[in-house]
Amino acid sequence: MKRFIPIMIGLVILVLILNPPAFAADETGDSFVYGLSDEREMAEALKKEMEKHHSNEFYITQMESIKLYNILLHNMEEQTKVYSSRVDCQYPDYYGGAYIDNQSGELVVLVTDLSEITLSRMTMFAQGSDLVRFELCNTSYNGILTAIKTLSENLEYFESQGVNIDCIRDDILGGHVVVDVQELDSSKIASIKAVANYDFLCFQNSEGMTLDTSVKAGSGIYNKETNMASTLGFAATLDGMSGVVVAGHTAETVGDTFATDDAEETTIGDVVATAWRNRSTADAAFVEAARGITPSNDLASSYGNIWDVLTYECPVNTSVCMAGAYSISHNYGMAYGEIKGFNLTAAHGIGEPKIYDQWYATYKAYEGDSGAPVMIYEGNYDVPRYRLVGIHSGRNKASTLPYISPYQNIVDELGITFG
């Protein structure tokens, strides 16, 4: 969202705080309404912006493919529970993952063999849908998950051996587990393989990680105790308290106060819960709204609003968008990209928290974008539809891949409810 001195992404409008040119206060001063006089005009502007990247039909098909993907996962998991006694076996061993075709929006399922019996079983799991096709891969998804679990559980041990791993992530399309290691050399690879000797590990030299916070003006919101600037995530409630979700690494301490970064520095509220700790699954915190502050999930300008959350799993290549304070305030608009993986472990330095089960994507992020909502655009059904999938966290310095804390993890860690 744009601010008077553009401060906010417009992802959560805070009553009595903002005065962006794309919005106008009503006569009571208690809420904000869209500056566009016609809702149809707003919807058309959003449609044109989204269709710069994909057609409306693509977004609609993608959403149907995501639903189909969850049916497929459910059916595979149920069968595996019945027919497999292995604790490391969550799916059939011939299943290698899935992705969205970024041209059609259709679901592509990877299998380790294309035999008639395998395809027959997978077609049954997908309920015979014509939205799915199958492709050959080399690595089973069970193997990838097992390798990530083994590596993640030994991060502290690797540190004690002088092997600093910044990130562990799945690469479904490549059939690899990627391990980002600082000052990578053959001895460090040998140390890792002594613990996790998988032939599908792929090692990359890493330059460390960065969390997308900033002390620059115009970054959205900031922690008054640490002066760390970031972006509002989304409106939520916690035990009946109204408030907003922000990035956990910007709100490590309960009691810290957040404020807007404009001339008035209006207080937003105080941190009452944070998930920023070792082995958490969410880089998130909850800020209870101060008196007179009314959080909302309206988006900036003509971008519409976050009408719901995504409770489904997503395939690789799912198209998403992120609107961070830096991007919006510097006229970059929303950032667009694709989700590339769902099993990322992010290590934030020696002795710092290791955050598990994160996602990663390809949109471009900047300092000050931490906490920004990451969303799926469902298509234009007369009214534009966005679903929240999570919030932006940080990036790997070498690969620049941005990390996402998924919504369900935030719920599990903080106990919040959307809206």
Side-chain angles (χ1 to χ4, degrees):
M1 179 164 51
K2 298 182 180 178
R3 300 178 292 120
F4 178 67
I5 308 174
I7 59 169
M8 304 261 312
I9 58 166
L11 306 169
V12 181
I13 303 173
L14 296 176
V15 175
L16 303 178
I17 290 181
L18 304 180
N19 185 25
F23 290 85
D26 65 12
E27 291 182 358
T28 67
D30 291 332
S31 64
F32 283 87
V33 296
Y34 288 108
L36 290 173
S37 59
D38 191 320
E39 288 187 3
R40 292 183 181 178
E41 181 184 350
M42 181 188 75
E44 187 61 28
L46 173 61
K47 182 174 182 289
K48 288 180 180 179
E49 177 65 24
M50 298 305 297
E51 290 187 356
K52 291 178 183 177
H53 305 275
H54 294 290
S55 69
N56 196 56
E57 289 72 20
F58 170 90
Y59 294 113
I60 294 172
T61 301
Q62 174 178 255
M63 197 62 214
E64 291 304 311
S65 294
I66 291 172
K67 294 176 182 177
L68 173 62
Y69 176 64
N70 281 264
I71 292 172
L72 179 79
L73 290 182
H74 173 76
N75 289 337
M76 286 193 297
E77 289 170 350
E78 289 300 306
Q79 193 211 45
T80 304
K81 287 178 185 176
V82 173
Y83 293 103
S84 178
S85 59
R86 285 169 40 201
V87 296
D88 64 340
C89 189
Q90 187 173 350
Y91 304 103
D93 275 331
Y94 48 78
Y95 173 66
Y99 69 91
I100 294 289
D101 184 312
N102 55 21
Q103 298 299 315
S104 67
E106 294 176 345
L107 182 67
V108 182
V109 176
L110 301 173
V111 289
T112 57
D113 74 81
L114 293 172
S115 65
E116 184 176 344
I117 188 168
T118 294
L119 294 183
S120 175
R121 288 172 177 169
M122 294 303 292
T123 300
M124 177 186 66
F125 293 145
Q127 297 184 343
S129 172
D130 57 4
L131 278 180
V132 63
R133 69 174 190 269
F134 303 99
E135 287 184 0
L136 189 65
C137 69
N138 295 321
T139 312
S140 115
Y141 195 50
N142 283 333
I144 287 175
L145 294 177
T146 300
I148 290 174
K149 180 180 179 182
T150 301
L151 290 163
S152 297
E153 289 178 345
N154 284 278
L155 280 174
E156 286 83 359
Y157 169 75
F158 292 134
E159 282 184 4
S160 72
Q161 302 301 303
V163 180
N164 296 323
I165 296 175
D166 287 327
C167 177
I168 305 161
R169 64 182 188 271
D170 54 351
D171 175 9
I172 301 302
L173 295 180
H176 304 299
V177 170
V178 182
V179 187
D180 293 320
V181 185
Q182 292 187 25
E183 299 178 352
L184 180 66
D185 58 31
S186 58
S187 66
K188 292 177 180 176
I189 292 175
S191 294
I192 294 171
K193 285 200 167 185
V195 174
N197 190 21
Y198 300 95
D199 58 9
F200 50 82
L201 296 187
C202 176
F203 297 93
Q204 294 184 356
N205 189 59
S206 178
E207 300 171 4
M209 294 176 57
T210 179
L211 295 168
D212 284 323
T213 56
S214 170
V215 294
K216 301 174 183 177
S219 296
I221 59 174
Y222 78 103
N223 184 318
K224 295 178 71 173
E225 277 65 44
T226 64
N227 205 33
M228 188 177 287
S230 58
T231 294
L232 281 174
F234 58 94
T237 57
L238 175 63
D239 297 331
M241 296 180 290
S242 176
V244 294
V245 172
V246 300
H249 64 266
T250 70
E252 299 179 24
T253 306
V254 171
D256 281 2
T257 299
F258 274 79
T260 60
D261 198 16
D262 59 358
E264 296 182 2
E265 296 185 354
T266 307
T267 296
I268 295 169
D270 296 336
V271 179
V272 296
T274 182
W276 183 252
R277 58 183 175 273
N278 196 39
R279 302 205 174 199
S280 172
T281 61
D283 178 7
F286 181 80
V287 175
E288 182 183 8
R291 185 173 181 177
I293 299 300
T294 304
S296 165
N297 281 312
D298 288 337
L299 298 181
S301 187
S302 61
Y303 288 125
N305 60 37
I306 309 173
W307 77 283
D308 203 352
V309 298
L310 187 78
T311 56
Y312 310 121
E313 299 287 337
C314 296
V316 170
N317 278 3
T318 295
S319 179
V320 294
C321 55
M322 182 277 295
Y326 185 97
S327 298
I328 295 293
S329 66
H330 288 73
N331 297 317
Y332 294 110
M334 282 201 193
Y336 299 87
E338 297 172 347
I339 296 177
K340 291 299 182 182
F342 305 93
N343 298 280
L344 181 146
T345 299
H348 296 282
I350 298 174
E352 294 296 320
K354 281 72 175 170
I355 308 298
Y356 287 20
D357 297 331
Q358 304 299 279
W359 300 355
Y360 67 99
T362 59
Y363 58 79
K364 192 169 184 178
Y366 301 88
E367 290 183 351
D369 286 343
S370 285
V374 181
M375 303 163 289
I376 288 178
Y377 176 64
E378 291 192 14
N380 189 31
Y381 295 79
D382 295 326
V383 177
R385 290 186 180 181
Y386 276 111
R387 281 185 188 254
L388 180 77
V389 299
I391 62 174
H392 172 70
S393 175
R395 291 165 289 146
N396 182 285
K397 288 181 180 178
S399 65
T400 70
L401 290 172
Y403 307 149
I404 301 166
S405 280
Y407 173 76
Q408 189 57 52
N409 289 13
I410 297 171
V411 172
D412 293 343
E413 293 285 352
L414 294 177
I416 58 94
T417 301
F418 176 80

